[in-house]
Amino acid sequence: MSMGPILETAQLSKSYGRIRALDNLDLSINEGMVFGFLGPNGSGKTTTLALLLQVLRPSSGSFNWFGKPQWDNVRKDIGAILESPCFYPYLSGYQNLMVSARIKEVNLAAIEPVLRTVDLYERRNDPFKTYSLGMKQRLAIASALLANPRVLILDEPTNGLDPQGIVEIRNLIKKIAGTGKTIILASHLLDEVQKVCSHFMVLRQGTKLFQGSVKDALTDQSLIEVAAADMQYLAEILVTYPGVEKVERRDDKLVFKASSMSTAQINHFLIEKKIVVSHLAKKNGNLEEEFLRILAKHE
Amino acid sequence: MKNYRPFWILVIMYIVVVILITCGGGLFLQFLKKQGADFNGIDPTLIPLYDFPDIWQNMTYLGSFCKVILGFIVVISVANEESFRTLRQNIIDGLSKQEFLWSKLLLILGLSVGATILMFLCALLMGSLYSSSGGMQQVFQSMDFIWAYFLILLTYLCFCFWVTLLLPRTGLVIVGLFLYTIIFEPFFALFLENFPYISDFIRPSTAFFPVRSLYNLIPVPFSKFLLREFQEFVSLKETMIVIGWLGVNLFLCRLILHRKDW
Ligand SMILES: Nc1ncnc2c1ncn2[C@@H]1O[C@H](COP(=O)(O)OP(=O)(O)OP(=O)(O)O)[C@@H](O)[C@H]1O
Ligand SMILES: [Mg+2]
């Protein structure tokens, strides 16, 4: 599924006066990736997306979409929401989407399906200013989906949605990702990134700290827990298994990094050594731990 | 824009004010007569306000004071795009700055054309009702004032456009523009023109002020009745200055737009 890079940046930087919001970002995103931007508040996620959407002008550095020169108007091929939804308050949801459709040069017939997708069809004729926060966010998502774009850029797409809405949008993103579209998602909900993204990067104070695939980060973090009657002996035997580096005692279990081992392999090994386990489980890591670890490492 | 209530309020306000000013002039003169006022023994109602072809000059002169209302429409329409951040949304959707510029210039052009047609119809109507001099040829003499009127509106609205781009705070711009157009520049120009001790080199510079030059394009008509000697045509030099300003204003719109972050 992944082909050549769809987006490349080189030394991309943006300063607001003295504040360096983005510092020499080098990034390459391939077609078909679901790419998460992680970072604390004010780390430059929105700034980066605004630069990529040509809403802000970079202070230095460059980027290109689809291998086209930077100043080409490629935004019609990109569906995006950036921060809070911005629409004409006195126009209805439908009329606002008409404005977007006119700009993106898509048929007005495309409006109805996207309104249904985000569950706003019933309220399409009410003025935007009467919408709740979550409804505004849904309209923004509808507008991003409107042109059936090659790339979706979503800045905190579930911000303000109810739990059911969050799950719906998450499933929607997964469904769209399944069709091979490229998605860039900025969020500080680590759980969200873990559930939908294939790759991610971590920003802090405008600097990229880490970039990698979610799967690798999770396997890095996954652990195996074992318990048996004689814990002392269990620990001595475990360190002899190839690949096990350090065994730690946590409560009444022993814990070690799983790397690429499976529980079946461990079980087989322990049976050979005549140890009967009372507990054996693989715990998948989560992005939150990895994220905190990355931040801590760069203190 | 067309669904936005303040827009229509301003449009209607403009139409009413223009009609009042153009049609109310005669009533005002009659009112003066009743009050016993007279200008050096001339009956005020005899002032040929609505005579062709002078009517074009008289009406466009009065009408050009209302341009500030049209200015507000432009200010609101541009400032709203920024305060609702819809411009940012539209740019994200793929609107280029060039297209935005054109859409607003189209609005400006539309307003100018509409206002000019309104002025033309009002003057034509009042003229045919009240003019003592007739004849097709006289009616359409001095039509250059209608063109001048159009040019003034176009230039002034472009001026409003870039000022708003520069300072996207609706209230501030509206008050500032109103004060500047109606009070500050005319007085400053008067000051420069009449205050002693100012070198004769600076004095004529008032003709080049952005708003003053617009007022100069249609010279004060009523002095005819007091001074006998006055300018009955649109001067070429002043037209050139205004066209110059139109160019400068357009250039500034473009420049500011391209250097802005959203
Ligand atoms: N218009 C602006 N003027 C000045 N500084 C700004 C502006 N916009 C953002 N910044 C600064 O740039 C830095 C990055 O902001 P940005 O909005 O990109 O963060 P973010 O990662 O999106 O944060 P959040 O998670 O809160 O959305 C912050 O320090 C912020 O204060
Ligand atoms: Mg943000």
Side-chain angles (χ1 to χ4, degrees):
Chain A
M1 194 154 65
S2 55
M3 301 164 225
I6 203 161
L7 167 73
E8 281 182 307
T9 73
Q11 303 286 298
L12 192 62
S13 307
K14 175 75 186 176
S15 308
Y16 298 104
R18 275 186 308 109
I19 301 172
R20 194 125 174 106
L22 187 65
D23 196 27
N24 292 327
L25 176 71
D26 288 306
L27 183 67
S28 164
I29 294 182
N30 287 345
E31 183 142 28
M33 278 187 183
V34 182
F35 198 95
F37 283 19
L38 291 179
N41 290 131
S43 54
K45 303 182 294 291
T46 303
T47 303
T48 310
L49 295 181
L51 287 169
L52 296 178
L53 287 167
Q54 304 165 340
V55 174
L56 293 178
R57 297 178 321 133
S59 305
S60 63
S62 64
F63 61 89
N64 73 67
W65 283 106
F66 315 120
K68 290 178 184 168
Q70 183 177 339
W71 48 86
D72 265 26
N73 189 347
V74 293
R75 298 187 303 272
K76 290 180 191 188
D77 271 338
I78 302 172
I81 50 177
L82 198 55
E83 267 177 345
S84 46
C86 307
F87 291 100
Y88 297 94
Y90 49 88
L91 294 183
S92 72
Y94 188 83
Q95 286 168 321
N96 268 303
L97 289 189
M98 275 170 64
V99 174
S100 306
R102 197 101 45 81
I103 293 170
K104 289 189 174 288
E105 295 166 7
V106 294
N107 200 312
L108 294 185
I111 296 177
E112 196 192 309
V114 293
L115 276 173
R116 287 193 192 280
T117 309
V118 298
D119 233 350
L120 265 185
Y121 190 69
E122 306 293 312
R123 298 289 300 271
R124 68 190 180 283
N125 291 325
D126 294 341
F128 177 71
K129 63 181 170 218
T130 66
Y131 286 6
S132 72
L133 178 61
M135 291 164 69
K136 289 177 179 172
Q137 191 71 21
R138 283 163 192 261
L139 187 67
I141 294 170
S143 137
L145 296 176
L146 193 58
N148 193 20
R150 273 175 84 182
V151 181
L152 261 185
I153 292 186
L154 305 169
D155 190 7
E156 294 173 29
T158 50
N159 186 17
L161 295 186
D162 50 32
Q164 189 195 349
I166 292 181
V167 174
E168 279 171 22
I169 295 305
R170 211 171 267 172
N171 290 338
L172 183 64
I173 294 173
K174 279 189 196 161
K175 204 173 95 192
I176 295 167
T179 64
K181 292 229 159 72
T182 312
I183 300 178
I184 301 178
L185 174 76
S187 175
H188 30 227
L189 302 177
L190 296 157
D191 187 41
E192 183 165 282
V193 173
Q194 181 179 335
K195 283 191 177 132
V196 300
C197 292
S198 63
H199 295 75
F200 73 107
M201 75 162 176
V202 179
L203 278 175
R204 195 184 54 197
Q205 289 176 6
T207 315
K208 182 171 85 174
L209 299 183
F210 179 85
Q211 173 180 2
S213 101
V214 172
K215 216 169 106 207
D216 292 350
L218 291 184
T219 30
D220 270 3
Q221 285 291 308
S222 65
L223 301 171
I224 290 180
E225 295 176 340
V226 215
D230 187 348
M231 296 291 261
Q232 193 75 44
Y233 182 58
L234 178 63
E236 281 166 24
I237 294 300
L238 274 177
V239 285
T240 65
Y241 188 79
V244 176
E245 281 157 17
K246 207 173 101 200
V247 180
E248 272 176 64
R249 178 119 196 204
R250 273 194 207 162
D251 303 327
D252 52 349
K253 291 162 202 149
L254 291 176
V255 178
F256 57 94
K257 271 201 169 171
S259 314
S260 57
M261 306 161 211
S262 72
T263 46
Q265 288 168 332
I266 296 294
N267 201 9
H268 190 74
F269 170 72
L270 290 176
I271 287 169
E272 276 178 2
K273 301 280 175 189
K274 308 230 168 4
I275 296 177
V276 179
V277 296
S278 58
H279 173 90
L280 176 62
K282 185 165 185 174
K283 295 217 51 173
N284 275 326
N286 64 41
L287 212 50
E288 188 172 333
E289 282 167 21
E290 178 71 7
F291 176 71
L292 294 175
R293 202 179 55 78
I294 291 168
L295 287 187
K297 205 167 82 186
H298 292 84
E299 263 323 319
Chain B
M1 197 66 198
K2 56 184 182 293
N3 287 16
Y4 188 48
R5 196 164 327 122
F7 170 73
W8 289 112
I9 293 176
L10 281 171
V11 167
I12 290 168
M13 196 161 109
Y14 178 77
I15 294 175
V16 169
V17 170
V18 166
I19 291 179
L20 272 184
I21 285 193
T22 50
C23 309
L27 300 176
F28 180 65
L29 291 180
Q30 270 173 6
F31 168 79
L32 280 183
K33 185 187 180 186
K34 280 210 195 99
Q35 298 290 310
D38 65 337
F39 297 104
N40 308 326
I42 308 171
D43 180 348
T45 52
L46 290 184
I47 293 180
L49 193 59
Y50 294 124
D51 268 0
F52 289 118
D54 293 349
I55 183 171
W56 298 118
Q57 183 174 4
N58 298 339
M59 295 296 102
T60 50
Y61 176 76
L62 289 172
S64 68
F65 283 100
C66 312
K67 64 178 179 293
V68 96
I69 300 180
L70 291 181
F72 291 168
I73 296 181
V74 172
V75 171
I76 289 180
S77 129
V78 175
N80 269 356
E81 297 271 5
E82 301 201 21
S83 58
F84 301 151
R85 309 192 83 177
T86 46
L87 181 53
R88 180 173 163 152
Q89 181 69 42
N90 290 345
I91 300 254
I92 290 171
D93 280 345
L95 191 77
S96 70
K97 292 184 175 183
Q98 206 64 39
E99 285 167 328
F100 172 72
L101 186 68
W102 279 113
S103 77
K104 290 301 167 193
L105 288 182
L106 224 59
L107 171 73
I108 288 177
L109 194 68
L111 286 174
S112 305
V113 168
T116 307
I117 290 174
L118 176 73
M119 174 54 65
F120 175 76
L121 291 178
C122 277
L124 201 63
L125 183 72
M126 295 316 289
S128 53
L129 287 180
Y130 295 110
S131 175
S132 47
S133 50
M136 263 310 167
Q137 201 194 340
Q138 273 196 321
V139 169
F140 293 106
Q141 226 177 12
S142 292
M143 280 295 285
D144 48 349
F145 284 106
I146 284 287
W147 288 115
Y149 186 67
F150 176 69
L151 196 59
I152 286 174
L153 289 177
L154 210 57
T155 310
Y156 183 70
L157 295 183
C158 290
F159 174 69
C160 295
F161 185 16
W162 70 256
V163 170
T164 317
L165 282 177
L166 208 57
L167 315 159
R169 299 281 296 276
T170 327
L172 199 74
V173 173
I174 285 191
V175 173
L177 217 50
F178 188 76
L179 290 181
Y180 185 81
T181 311
I182 304 281
I183 296 170
F184 176 71
E185 211 187 85
F187 276 98
F188 188 58
L190 274 182
F191 170 78
L192 280 187
E193 279 162 7
N194 299 315
F195 195 70
Y197 316 123
I198 288 179
S199 86
D200 284 340
F201 179 69
I202 297 182
R203 214 161 281 183
S205 69
T206 58
F208 295 98
F209 283 12
V211 177
R212 177 69 183 194
S213 60
L214 299 181
Y215 281 121
N216 284 345
L217 194 56
I218 299 182
V220 189
F222 310 112
S223 52
K224 184 181 191 176
F225 317 115
L226 306 172
L227 302 175
R228 296 285 144 200
E229 133 199 20
F230 94 126
Q231 189 187 335
E232 267 189 75
F233 52 91
V234 180
S235 112
L236 185 66
K237 175 181 150 229
E238 274 147 10
T239 312
M240 291 321 287
I241 294 177
V242 170
I243 290 182
W245 267 110
L246 180 62
V248 168
N249 288 343
L250 284 174
F251 175 74
L252 283 175
C253 292
R254 240 191 87 105
L255 188 74
I256 296 171
L257 201 58
H258 277 264
R259 314 197 81 207
K260 256 180 100 105
D261 275 347
W262 304 107

